[in-house]
Amino acid sequence: LLGWARMEAGKRSYQMVDASPSRIVDAALSAFKLQLVMDDVKLSTEVQGDLPTIAVDSAAVTEALLNLLQNAYKYTGPQKIIALRCFRRAGHVVFSVSDNGPGIPKTEQRRMFEKFYRLTRPEVAMQPPGTGLGLSMVYHIVAAHGGITSVDSELGQGATFSILLPIEMTRSTRRARERAK
């Protein structure tokens, strides 16, 4: 909650450095390892080989990606299938996490990143624990990096949450632009 309060007040600082997307994926997977050991999870990972570095706060983006992995774990059934992909698309590096959960109704998808919002499912007796802040924090972290957060889902087809971070503004690109002025 304290982290969220700092973030919402605009007081969270980010230390932007040129970072390798594959190292961010590795760090998130390392932190996610405990869930993999505790339960039978089929996790696939696909990272495009020629990704450029991006100017980000690596710890913050790792935190956002870990949150997506933990949500995928939390909201799938007993046979957990999670796919983590990292690839380049239209000037962005995309980190996407897909699951085989029950899916999210289209009418609810626009609200997924609101603070304290939790999708309630009448057919599920026990709702997973949580505060409803995780996806809001992901949204704020990504927005602070000039990125986009999205969800794509169909009922009964699972969900894919994506983080799109811009490629063009690495620290070295910024320095070169500043020198050219």
Side-chain angles (χ1 to χ4, degrees), residues 168-179:
E168 70 178 42
M169 291 302 283
T170 64
R171 286 177 31 162
S172 56
T173 304
R174 283 190 193 124
R175 282 193 298 269
R177 284 186 183 175
E178 288 170 5
R179 279 182 281 197

